[in-house]
Amino acid sequence: MKNFLMGTVALIALGASVPAMAADLAARPYTKAPAYVAAPIYNWTGFYIGGHVGGAFNGSNGFGGTSDNSDGRFLGGLQIGADYQFAPNWVVGIEGQYSWVGSNNTNVLFAGTGLTYNLNQKGLGSVTGRIGYTWGPALLYVKGGYAYSDYSETLVNAAGAPVAFAAGTKHDGYTVGAGLEYLFTQNWSGKVEYQYYDFGKTQFSTPTALVAFGSSKNDEHTVKAGLNYRFNWGGPVVAKY
């Protein structure tokens, strides 16, 4: 009985001391969790304008039995276009491009005829559509469409006098390509790009001495590095949570 009474007294004393101890504890300060800042999703939607430099190389197909002195050459030009991002990692767009080609004179000597054919290409143009996949600031894309070759052509004899001729050379053709573009900021991007141009074949119908030499394929391989300034519609898109 004595032990029971002593235990009861101890419990009462402990119960009385708990509020006092709790009162002595300092209240915990309330700290608000930091606001979540969503990472920006790079936005490719908008217009752009820019420039590029690179090199152009002729295809390997030439007239049979001829000597062709064409080499790789420097090119530089401008591009303008527009992109639209959707779904949300896909980008479609359209681009117009023109490249001036430096020091491009293709001289073909037809053996046994005394005739030399010259094609002086001044530039390459294109209007293409493109589609690409973006992750973060990078865009991997393919492109294709209409191509234009800006050139003049002549045929001269051994004395250097012009000779009348008829050939199937075309200014119009097609182009396909692929590239990688990267957004350094929301308004500036850089790209590297390969583009192939095909303008069919050159085949002489007159003079008759050149008919036997067959045809030459008019195609170009180009590699370019470019820089674009982008006018975005509405700025960067921010993820919402």
Side-chain angles (χ1 to χ4, degrees):
M1 186 65 178
K2 182 179 178 179
N3 291 337
F4 174 77
L5 291 174
M6 292 179 65
T8 301
V9 171
L11 288 174
I12 294 171
L14 179 62
S17 64
V18 169
M21 293 174 62
D24 292 337
L25 293 176
R28 291 185 179 180
Y30 173 73
T31 303
K32 185 178 181 181
Y36 177 77
V37 179
I41 299 175
Y42 288 86
N43 182 14
W44 292 88
T45 299
F47 296 102
Y48 63 88
I49 186 170
H52 61 268
V53 294
F57 310 89
N58 283 347
S60 58
N61 297 323
F63 294 100
T66 64
S67 175
D68 185 344
N69 75 335
S70 61
D71 296 313
R73 61 269 186 209
F74 173 83
L75 64 78
L78 302 171
Q79 66 268 355
I80 184 171
D83 289 320
Y84 177 74
Q85 185 172 344
F86 66 101
N89 296 100
W90 291 94
V91 176
V92 293
I94 186 170
E95 181 181 83
Q97 186 179 103
Y98 187 87
S99 305
W100 288 272
V101 180
S103 301
N104 181 33
N105 283 286
T106 301
N107 294 304
V108 180
L109 175 62
F110 294 93
T113 67
L115 298 174
T116 300
Y117 169 72
N118 173 267
L119 188 146
N120 180 21
Q121 188 178 55
K122 304 170 186 176
L124 291 167
S126 64
V127 178
T128 57
R130 75 172 183 172
I131 184 169
Y133 184 85
T134 179
W135 64 102
L139 172 67
L140 184 66
Y141 63 89
V142 295
K143 61 188 293 187
Y146 168 77
Y148 176 78
S149 179
D150 185 5
Y151 66 84
S152 60
E153 54 184 341
T154 59
L155 184 69
V156 298
N157 58 24
V163 177
F165 69 96
T169 313
K170 296 189 302 182
H171 286 279
D172 304 313
Y174 73 89
T175 181
V176 293
L180 177 66
E181 191 164 357
Y182 189 90
L183 279 169
F184 297 107
T185 71
Q186 190 59 48
N187 295 105
W188 286 99
S189 65
K191 70 174 182 177
V192 289
E193 175 180 282
Y194 165 78
Q195 199 164 344
Y196 170 76
Y197 299 81
D198 191 317
F199 300 102
K201 297 180 179 180
T202 295
Q203 186 167 11
F204 289 92
S205 54
T206 61
T208 56
L210 302 185
V211 175
F213 288 90
S215 63
S216 175
K217 187 170 179 59
N218 300 312
D219 58 349
E220 304 278 345
H221 302 269
T222 65
V223 179
K224 307 165 190 171
L227 185 67
N228 289 324
Y229 182 81
R230 311 187 70 88
F231 303 88
N232 298 102
W233 300 336
V237 177
V238 178
K240 296 181 180 179
Y241 295 91

